[in-house]
Amino acid sequence: MTIAPETTETPVLPPLVIGKHVVETPVVLAPMAGVTNTAFRRLCREQGEGLFVAEMVTSRALVERNEESLRIVSFEDFETPRSAQVYGVDPATVGAAVKIIAGEDRADHIDLNFGCPVPKVTRKGGGSALPWKTELFKRIVDAAVTAAAPYDVPVTIKMRKGIDSDHITYLEAGQIAEQLGVAAVALHARTAAEHYSGIADWAAIRELKQAVTTIPVLGNGDIWSAEDALRMVEETGCDGVVVGRGCQGRPWLFADLTAAFAGRSERVRPGLRYVADTIYRHGEYMVDFFGDEGRGLRDLRKHMAWYLKGYAVGGEARNGLALVDSLKDLREKLDRLDLEAPYPGEAAEGQRGRAGSPKRPHLPEGWLDSRELSDEFRKKLEEAELSISGG
């Protein structure tokens, strides 16, 4: 690993304040299904500072006390503050779920997900489709804030610009959330229709920052490096950034972000040995998290392509690492790599995962006809509370 020379300058942004919690580096790790479990969050925390949010859980599953969902909102001692994300479409259920988390002291901060573009959710009117129904959005946010207030647990929201370019909701939703007492709002600067395609519309983040003036506004979308984060802050005036796909296979991005927001120039540029050691440590943490070596290593496999992006390790080695089934197997296969290989430069940078293409949002029939919620839709919305994450 190589690190650029350090300089001492004035911090780029002040700490991020979420309720009573002060986050020294204004960076948030976005929940990603099957990625941001305790093992990965532990790796990221070892590298840098920020607010590290757990994988999303559905409000219905929490109220039903689903074992896996309760495990997701169970945190390790090293996690401070403890941040949970909840998804739901029924105000009473969301309120009950928030009361479980806050009342049982399971988390210090709760985020509401209104950014999910997954068809299974939006076709029922949930996720990024939901803010279109203004009254329902108000009731859900109000239920969460009200349920959390007695326990002094702050509630934040994450959302998208809207459903598509003709049905934009983010400015109104941000102002409603501000009025109802949320602690911060985060905007993924794409619509549901754009999914992860194209270029995020950072101008929308600037507009939201101008419209929401009493709480922090966080920007999300296309942050692949510390320089991207600095540029987003400069162009939009946002109070912090939310990082999702950019840290997949690169937990050291948080070291870069911590340095950048403190006004320092050092950046992590890992050679293959550093990457291999990180992969192995990730594997150990996965085994600890799942309590099962086989399951932990199977879950690690999907991270391999992200970790090895840009490194000349060969197809056979990549395929082998994508099939590891034990820590011994993992160590042996990593040791066969050319561990003296240096950082490959731009080949290891940039977008992680598939951007895909714009998609026509899957919505209930007639969903866009009115911003009011009909009785028929109200009955169907409960079906949207699925074990689905995204944003």
Side-chain angles (χ1 to χ4, degrees):
M1 176 182 69
T2 59
I3 297 179
E6 180 176 341
T7 60
T8 301
E9 301 175 8
T10 303
V12 175
L13 278 182
L16 178 64
V17 179
I18 303 293
K20 62 184 178 181
H21 306 289
V22 178
V23 183
E24 293 297 332
T25 300
V27 174
V28 178
L29 168 64
M32 292 175 282
V35 176
T36 53
N37 56 28
T38 298
F40 188 69
R41 297 198 307 273
R42 185 175 180 182
L43 278 177
C44 293
R45 284 178 179 273
E46 289 176 349
Q47 297 285 336
E49 300 172 349
L51 187 69
F52 300 89
V53 186
E55 294 176 279
M56 189 198 73
V57 293
T58 68
S59 56
R60 176 188 290 178
L62 282 174
V63 170
E64 294 176 351
R65 304 196 75 84
N66 173 273
E67 183 178 351
E68 180 62 19
S69 295
L70 289 173
R71 188 164 75 97
I72 289 174
V73 293
S74 298
F75 296 85
E76 299 292 338
D77 291 342
F78 63 82
E79 300 195 74
T80 304
R82 301 162 299 166
S83 294
Q85 188 182 79
V86 173
Y87 161 82
V89 296
D90 174 67
T93 308
V94 171
V98 168
K99 185 175 181 180
I100 288 173
I101 295 173
E104 297 178 7
D105 191 27
R106 291 180 172 273
D108 305 305
H109 155 242
I110 296 171
D111 187 54
L112 300 179
N113 188 315
F114 295 106
C116 183
V118 175
K120 284 191 211 179
V121 171
T122 59
R123 72 163 51 101
K124 303 294 184 181
S128 51
L130 195 146
W132 177 250
K133 300 299 185 183
T134 308
E135 189 59 35
L136 178 64
F137 176 77
K138 287 180 181 177
R139 290 175 57 208
I140 288 176
V141 174
D142 186 54
V145 171
T146 300
Y151 308 98
D152 202 19
V153 172
V155 173
T156 61
I157 71 166
K158 183 186 176 189
M159 58 185 175
R160 286 189 173 231
K161 289 173 57 182
I163 294 174
D164 55 34
S165 59
D166 294 322
H167 302 87
I168 298 297
T169 55
Y170 71 99
L171 291 176
E172 180 185 37
Q175 291 173 323
I176 289 171
E178 179 183 30
Q179 293 163 6
L180 291 174
V182 303
V185 297
L187 176 65
H188 184 152
R190 288 182 171 89
T191 63
E194 290 172 304
H195 212 67
Y196 295 100
S197 66
I199 299 173
D201 178 17
W202 289 2
I205 300 170
R206 182 176 63 247
E207 292 172 0
L208 182 62
K209 175 60 182 173
Q210 293 168 348
V212 174
T213 60
T214 63
I215 59 175
V217 171
L218 310 177
N220 180 213
D222 296 350
I223 295 179
W224 313 111
S225 68
E227 283 61 43
D228 291 333
L230 294 177
R231 186 166 56 86
M232 175 184 280
V233 170
E234 180 180 3
E235 292 183 9
T236 70
C238 65
D239 301 289
V241 300
V242 179
V243 178
R245 294 174 298 150
C247 68
Q248 290 177 333
R250 286 193 304 177
W252 49 83
L253 177 59
F254 288 92
D256 290 353
L257 291 165
T258 297
F261 279 114
R264 304 195 308 269
S265 62
E266 72 261 27
R267 302 289 184 267
V268 178
R269 298 292 183 260
L272 193 52
R273 183 179 299 278
Y274 185 92
V275 174
D277 288 345
T278 303
I279 292 173
Y280 188 77
R281 191 161 69 255
H282 194 170
E284 291 180 311
Y285 293 168
M286 284 287 211
V287 173
D288 287 344
F289 174 65
F290 286 109
D292 180 285
E293 186 173 27
R295 184 179 177 188
L297 271 296
R298 286 193 298 274
D299 204 77
L300 179 68
R301 294 173 182 174
K302 62 175 168 283
H303 295 262
M304 293 301 180
W306 299 327
Y307 273 119
L308 298 174
K309 174 180 167 65
Y311 292 87
V313 299
E316 184 177 348
R318 289 177 185 273
N319 292 338
L321 285 165
L323 296 172
V324 291
D325 56 11
S326 69
L327 288 173
K328 181 176 181 291
D329 183 33
L330 176 62
R331 184 74 272 171
E332 290 175 350
K333 287 176 177 175
L334 289 172
D335 286 345
R336 294 188 198 125
L337 303 177
D338 178 11
L339 298 180
E340 301 309 312
Y343 177 70
E346 290 186 6
E349 299 290 335
Q351 182 167 297
R352 330 298 284 184
R354 297 178 180 177
S357 57
K359 308 174 190 297
R360 182 180 178 181
H362 294 254
L363 302 168
E365 185 177 355
W367 186 254
L368 298 178
D369 293 347
S370 168
R371 303 205 65 177
E372 301 299 320
L373 188 66
S374 69
D375 289 339
E376 178 184 1
F377 283 136
R378 188 174 286 107
K379 293 177 182 178
K380 291 180 178 179
L381 277 175
E382 287 191 6
E383 301 174 20
E385 291 196 355
L386 307 170
S387 297
I388 299 292
S389 181

